[in-house]
Structures are given as structure tokens and as C-alpha cells.
């Protein structure tokens, strides 16, 4: 079963601030555990929304609208993700609970979602 651990963006990640060296070490160790367990499929961090854009489809059948970043009206921005292949939802939850606070400063939030296969 594929699950995505979605790391939510924070003020720090949107400002382009890199995590502390301690958090980087903890995240590296966590990712190494995922690899050793044979469950990690992919893991990447994303640039801040100021480097991105949003494509929306406000009128069905008409052209999409492009909005350049930063994307300020949303609290649902993503800062990164880890894709894992596990045996059950319970195993995915266990891995999610083992992740260090991905943003530090008490700002971290992870969303766990099953991927359609």
C-alpha cells in the first residue's frame, strides 16, 4: 500500500529558511531508517511557493488561470513529501509518528494520505 507523508509548509519554509543542523540530522536519520526498512519510495523537499505558480480552473470549459507565487491565501501549502510502500495503514501511521517535527519550532504538520494504485 502506498502512502504519502505530506509535510505542510510553515512561515519558515515559505521564507526559504533551511532547517537547523540538528533537525537536518534527525530527518536524515529518519530517512535512513525508512530506506533500511525497505519502505521509502521517494522523498523530496519543495522550494517555497514564491518560486512556483498555481493553475486554477474557475470556469469549466474555459482556459485555466495562472497565478504566480508566492501563494499567500492558502494555509495548505506543501513543503515536501515522503512516499512509502507499507503493508497497512497502521504501519504508515507508525512511520508518520516516528518523523521528527519536520519544520521545527513546533510548526511542523504532517498529513498522511493513501495513494490510489
Amino acid at each position: 500500500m502506498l502512502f504519502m507523508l505530506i509535510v505542510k509548509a510553515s512561515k519558515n519554509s515559505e521564507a526559504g529558511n533551511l532547517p537547523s543542523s540538528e533537525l537536518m540530522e534527525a530527518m536524515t536519520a529518519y530517512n535512513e531508517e525508512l530506506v533500511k526498512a525497505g519502505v521509502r519510495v521517494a522523498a523530496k523537499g519543495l522550494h517555497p511557493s514564491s518560486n512556483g505558480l498555481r493553475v486554477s480552473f474557475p470556469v469549466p470549459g474555459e482556459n485555466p488561470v495562472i497565478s504566480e507565487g508566492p501563494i499567500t491565501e492558502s494555509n495548505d501549502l506543501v513543503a515536501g513529501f515522503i512516499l512509502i510502500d507499507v503493508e497497512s495503514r497502521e504501519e504508515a501511521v507508525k512511520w508518520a509518528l516516528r518523523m521528527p517535527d519536520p519544520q521545527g519550532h513546533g510548526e511542523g504538520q504532517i498529513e498522511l494520505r493513501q495513494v490510489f494504485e
Side-chain angles (χ1 to χ4, degrees), residues 3-84:
F3 283 86
M4 184 173 281
L5 296 138
I6 302 164
V7 176
K8 298 298 196 154
S10 69
K11 289 179 183 178
N12 274 314
S13 67
E14 277 297 292
N17 297 330
L18 295 177
S20 68
S21 59
E22 293 84 9
L23 180 52
M24 291 288 276
E25 289 174 16
M27 288 301 290
T28 297
Y30 175 72
N31 273 284
E32 288 172 355
E33 289 179 43
L34 291 167
V35 171
K36 286 179 187 174
V39 299
R40 192 181 92 172
V41 176
K44 294 293 178 185
L46 302 174
H47 285 264
S49 69
S50 58
N51 291 338
L53 57 87
R54 179 173 281 173
V55 178
S56 56
F57 301 84
V59 182
E62 291 190 14
N63 290 333
V65 175
I66 297 174
S67 303
E68 294 285 336
I71 300 167
T72 58
E73 71 276 359
S74 176
N75 291 331
D76 295 326
L77 294 174
V78 175
F81 68 91
I82 300 174
L83 186 63
I84 58 175

Side-chain angles (χ1 to χ4, degrees), residues 92-107:
V93 170
K94 287 179 184 177
W95 281 111
L97 291 172
R98 291 177 67 178
M99 183 187 285
D101 175 351
Q103 297 294 345
H105 314 288
E107 293 183 336

